[in-house]
Amino acid sequence: DRDPSFGSIKEPWMRVIQLLKSLEIDMAPREKIVELWELSERIGEEPSRFPSVFSFFLPEYVPDAGPAIAAGLVSPESMLVNMPTTIDLMNGLWGLIRYGVSDCYDDGDTDALGFGRYPGHGNCLDNGSFERGSAFLSFVETSNASADLVDELSTLLTQGRLSQENRDQIIAALDGYSPNPNSGDVVAAKRRFAMQLIVSSPEFHTSTTVKQSGAPRAEATTTGSSSGTDYKATILLFFDGGADTYNMLPPHTCNNQVWEKYETIRGGPAGTPGSIALPKASLWELPTNNVNHTCQSVGLHENLNTIKDLYL
């Protein structure tokens, strides 16, 4: 485990399965099946939902940042790591611990950040009732003493690889933990808190020993202008959608009735009820400059002015 070239980042799906199996998933009385919902859209991986015949990642992939480049090490699983999948994975893991397999992440939550679906009943309550979950983690520790609890969870979730520094920090956090009055049984609330801390450790997400460098985190060399307040925020914009490429670059002046075929596929000429074809007069005409091309020119959507300026 101490060999820096040994081990890897765990696949996102395997982290979810490890949590469920290691902490003894149990069905709610009214349920017959556990359904983890649309994980491929959330964490980038889900059984039988391969994006291509090449699986979820490439075996030769090397991350474009970090020590793996200098060491010449591959890290295929890193292809699934980005800001949205990382946030969704942690939201889902914490939701499993606090609410079971449900759509919940926080009390009163309506954002469906959990890994399950709304079953049609129950509320999002972090009180150990798991009333909205189709299944829940039934693990009960041998001893509720902070050190014993951390060691037992470390064995189950990190194979005993939790570093001494992280172990000490988690124990200190548990010793100072004061559950919310609405959290239900105090012992169970402390258990759920400990689980959340362990799954947030780097040892849970990897299959090797994690060693901290001890060097302080690098500080930014430049700073922006201050508004005079101590408020700071990080804003992440993630646009998840698609482009109608048939209407971004349709044919224009072509042989073999290509324009007419485009109109037929799009539901008829523009203006026909149900048609989504563009009127030819609305398009920017771009020459193909290729005598062997079927089209002498293609059309560019009228709103793509920046692209138009590159060619006209």
Side-chain angles (χ1 to χ4, degrees):
D1 285 0
R2 296 185 181 276
D3 183 344
S5 64
F6 173 80
S8 66
I9 297 174
K10 295 176 185 175
E11 297 179 40
W13 169 250
M14 297 308 299
R15 299 178 223 182
V16 178
I17 292 301
Q18 181 185 1
L19 182 66
L20 295 177
K21 293 186 66 176
S22 299
L23 300 186
E24 303 171 21
I25 183 174
D26 196 5
M27 302 293 297
R30 60 186 173 272
E31 301 293 338
K32 296 181 180 179
I33 129 185
V34 176
E35 186 175 24
L36 299 173
W37 185 246
E38 297 291 351
L39 293 193
S40 60
E41 304 295 327
R42 308 280 303 285
I43 63 176
E45 192 176 30
E46 185 176 356
S48 303
R49 296 288 297 273
F50 299 104
S52 76
V53 294
F54 301 105
S55 189
F56 298 99
F57 36 71
L58 300 176
E60 69 273 15
Y61 179 76
V62 177
D64 57 3
I69 297 178
L73 300 176
V74 298
S75 181
E77 298 83 2
S78 296
M79 287 187 68
L80 303 179
V81 178
N82 57 47
M83 187 64 74
T85 58
T86 300
I87 292 174
D88 276 342
L89 177 64
M90 294 310 302
N91 284 344
L93 292 174
W94 281 31
L96 286 176
I97 293 168
R98 301 168 70 182
Y99 305 101
V101 180
S102 73
D103 60 335
C104 301
Y105 165 73
D106 203 356
D107 281 16
D109 176 45
T110 58
D111 293 329
L113 296 175
F115 285 157
R117 285 199 291 175
Y118 174 51
H121 53 77
N123 298 306
C124 296
L125 298 174
D126 181 17
N127 60 7
S129 65
F130 306 111
E131 63 177 65
R132 191 157 161 154
S134 60
F136 59 94
L137 304 178
S138 65
F139 166 81
V140 176
E141 64 280 355
T142 305
S143 168
N144 192 244
S146 297
D148 295 338
L149 176 58
V150 170
D151 288 342
E152 191 167 1
L153 288 174
S154 173
T155 299
L156 293 171
L157 298 177
T158 74
Q159 293 73 55
R161 291 180 287 100
L162 191 67
S163 69
Q164 187 63 47
E165 182 176 2
N166 287 341
R167 178 180 181 273
D168 292 343
Q169 291 180 353
I170 293 175
I171 290 173
L174 288 174
D175 286 339
Y177 175 61
S178 179
N180 185 296
N182 299 323
S183 296
D185 179 72
V186 174
V187 173
K190 180 180 178 181
R191 177 190 312 131
R192 296 194 299 276
F193 182 55
M195 292 176 181
Q196 292 177 78
L197 294 176
I198 295 288
V199 301
S200 301
S201 70
E203 290 88 350
F204 173 74
H205 297 273
T206 60
S207 61
T208 187
T209 299
V210 176
K211 182 179 180 181
Q212 299 185 13
S213 67
R217 186 183 297 272
E219 296 184 5
T221 56
T222 59
T223 57
S225 59
S226 173
S227 62
T229 68
D230 58 0
Y231 174 77
K232 296 181 180 180
T234 299
I235 301 174
L236 171 67
L237 298 178
F238 181 63
F239 298 101
D240 187 6
D244 182 2
T245 53
Y246 281 107
N247 275 356
M248 288 177 61
L249 198 69
H252 193 279
T253 303
C254 305
N255 303 327
N256 302 324
Q257 297 184 316
V258 173
W259 171 260
E260 289 73 14
K261 292 176 181 177
Y262 158 77
E263 289 184 317
T264 299
I265 292 173
R266 303 258 84 184
T272 303
S275 172
I276 55 174
L278 298 174
K280 183 180 286 190
S282 71
L283 301 172
W284 298 105
E285 186 177 3
L286 304 181
T288 58
N289 297 321
N290 185 345
V291 295
N292 296 318
H293 201 287
T294 302
C295 294
Q296 291 75 54
S297 62
V298 294
L300 183 68
H301 194 282
E302 60 183 336
N303 292 332
L304 299 177
N305 293 308
T306 301
I307 297 178
K308 181 263 297 185
D309 292 340
L310 297 174
Y311 294 93
L312 293 179

